[in-house]
Amino acid sequence: MTAAATETAVVPSYVLDAWWTPAAVSSGAEVRDASTGEILGLVSTDGLDLAAVVAHGRTVGQRELGQLTIHERALKLKELATYLNGRREELYDVSARTGATKIDSMIDIDGGIGVLFTFSSKGRRELPNANVIVEGPVETLSKDGSFLGEHIYTRIPGVAVQINAFNFPVWGMLEKFAPAFLAGVPSIVKPATPTGYLTEAAVRVIVESGILPAGSLQLISGSARTVLDVLDYRDLVSFTGSASTANALKGHPNVVQGGVRFTSETDSLNAAILGPDAVPGTPEFDAFIKSLVTEMTVKAGQKCTSIRRTIVPRELVEEVVAATAARVDQRVVLGDPRAEGVTMGALASLEQLADVRASVQRLIDAGGEIAYGTLDDPAVTRAEGTGTDARGAFMGPVVMTWEDPETPEIHSVECFGPVTSVIGYTDLDDAVRLAALGSGSLVATVATNDPDTARALVTGIAAHHGRVLVLNRDDARTSTGHGSPVPHLVHGGPGRAGGGEELGGIRSVKHHMQRTALQGSPDMLTAVTGVWHTGAAQRLAGDPAFGGSADVEHPFRKSLTTLRIGDGVASGLREVRLEDISAFAQSTGDTFYAHTNQEAAEANPFFPGIVAHGYLLLSWAAGLFVEPAPGPVLANYGLENLRFITPVAAGDSIRVTLTCKQITPRVTDEYGEVRWDAVLHNQRDEIVAAYDVLTLVEKH
Ligand code: NAP
């Protein structure tokens, strides 16, 4: 460490619900402004008790998060997102020091806030307001229905350790924190050293918000080389970074033998394939070049998803290089992101710059040629007042071309900066083969307006990728872009990309939970899950001949304060006459032959003759179970899982049993969702139809 560094402030950690810095620093790293070289701080974890940090998450964090339901946690995410939104500007200022332009900062900071909003709404829409999630159908495991099986999810009992890469200090944290928090698992965030000061600034804002429960978020600013030593099977590690670090961590005895759950998002040699139809002059060609230049220049190409391999028809290589060069010349101003007019910032650090240059040199040594750009120091625009004598980590875009598109280095050396290789393919099979040489990638773009080309390329490469974007004239303007994972969809990829699938969508919440096969009687499964199961106890109003009782109040008279799982109503039988079927056919216009033509209906392999419309039966069922007077039931907003099972002919009768299956009070409203199990039987007790009725019911 330099003399200057020892006087520099240490970037603090946030552990055990308090800010922490080492009592004395004997080892640590200096972090610098990417554009000016100015020392910003020291990063050190000397003396940090990692076991205590983990124990705090497992005890305090687990306890506090466990007091909230999934929906309550989802609302906290929204509250936090709104709060962070109000304090974005101060984070942009810090972000500029990492070399990020305003747009880069928005991708990182606003993108991260967007993840919180998305998980908040998805959590409330797609998950129960509970702490047990039921997945998939119920399996009946005994003939009489007294023994059932199904899958449930409950949160893992430990901590989620999130080791992140340097390139997205805010988004990288929030994309992992949001699903862990929603699942109810405390996060320990370990950002990469070079840009961890921006993560620290974001955590400071989060802590100041006072929104999060104690122990739910801890931050380790600095090295955490021994963190896996203190984890066990209760915990989970989500790693983002280079494949080499991932491989080293994956081999830790606590992962290999101790059962620590480990997933990784690592580097990847992502491809963009230009379809043969997307020749110069087409909107697809233009969109392709635009996307390529964006991916090279946003975050100075320091994105795990950037396009490293540009795979184009062999005869178009030169034109693609020329168009890329022209767009870079026209659009890109390299420099300090705080300077006027700059559109591309510095790499995150001088070490990173040296790394990228060394990687480009490896490509040159392997036969690559620089067709555009240079490894010499570029001319840059500097911001007034921030310039120092020290060098910034600047590097301009570089486009490489190759004699042999199969040169292994093209498909294996990641230049984590503004660098792409343009290679030529002969036909679609060749393009697929070249893309697959990346040994598993996060994302690929296929630019084509030809459906057959899209199908051939996508089905050829999909199994090698976590995400594929088909770019054409229709979505070029609306597409979220090649490089941007969206919180709704999987982010990760097979093989070299790390094999992780834990990010994106509700699956990422479940990733923080254990799936357990639950077996037992209908009553016990109902008690555990809070969801009524067929065969479990019911309290039915209605017809005593079918299990109802005049002493039981109709469930539509009950608000959420008194309604219980298993409350319901059983109707009596109602006969279906031919006149009813004909009248329904006439009034709705649904005169399909099975309802109107005896001879044709009899010839149908499924029907005995004229049968009632399924929708007629549903309408009648509503008439049979409804309690018409104004009351707490506000609306019926849909049906799910509808199946017509046994046809109903003229002369048959139907009855309905409606049972309260699941109650989901809304945290923010004076009502909640109630799901009812509806079963229609005929006079022979055969099931005619089964479905879920979805209603909104008042809390009081
Ligand atoms: P890195 O050197 O592998 O470091 C990643 C993280 O691992 C850092 O936080 C680092 O902390 C930590 N780390 C390193 N060794 C460790 C150990 N033995 N125990 C615990 N933690 C350890 O990667 P990077 O240079 O930060 O990031 C660039 C790479 O990440 C690129 O290859 C890029 O492709 C990849 N990346 C992938 C994705 C994705 O989603 N797939 C996203 C972004 C980046 P220190 O900094 O303190 O050493």
Side-chain angles (χ1 to χ4, degrees), residues 532 536-541 547-549 552-553 555 558 562-570 658-660:
W532 183 82
Q538 288 161 297
R539 284 164 304 282
L540 301 178
S549 161
V552 173
E553 191 180 13
K558 295 182 179 179
T562 51
L563 184 67
R564 295 287 171 267
I565 299 295
D567 285 351
V569 55
L658 186 80
T659 311
C660 174

Side-chain angles (χ1 to χ4, degrees), residues 163-168 171 175 190-194 222-228 239-246 248-249 264-268 303-304 308 352 414 416 442 491 497 503:
I163 303 177
N164 297 334
F166 71 83
N167 54 343
F168 285 104
W171 176 81
E175 70 156 351
K190 193 268 168 264
T193 292
S223 171
R225 296 286 137 121
T226 54
V227 68
L228 269 84
F239 172 83
T240 304
S242 59
S244 57
T245 311
L249 294 177
S264 57
E265 310 295 333
T266 58
D267 52 55
S268 142
K303 289 203 306 187
C304 53
R308 308 287 174 211
Q352 194 54 33
E414 184 197 40
F416 203 61
L442 293 169
H491 173 52
L503 304 172

Side-chain angles (χ1 to χ4, degrees), residues 80 84 91 108 112-113 115-116 162-165 167-181 187-192 196 198-207 212 217-220 238 240 503:
L80 183 63
L84 280 166
L91 295 178
D108 186 32
I113 294 170
V115 169
L116 298 181
Q162 297 151 8
I163 303 177
N164 297 334
N167 54 343
F168 285 104
V170 178
W171 176 81
M173 165 173 65
L174 296 179
E175 70 156 351
K176 292 179 183 175
F177 168 74
F181 185 83
S187 294
I188 297 175
V189 180
K190 193 268 168 264
L198 173 52
T199 313
E200 186 264 333
V203 170
R204 190 167 287 281
V205 174
I206 292 172
V207 169
L212 298 186
L217 174 64
Q218 299 186 81
L219 167 75
I220 299 173
S238 313
T240 304
L503 304 172

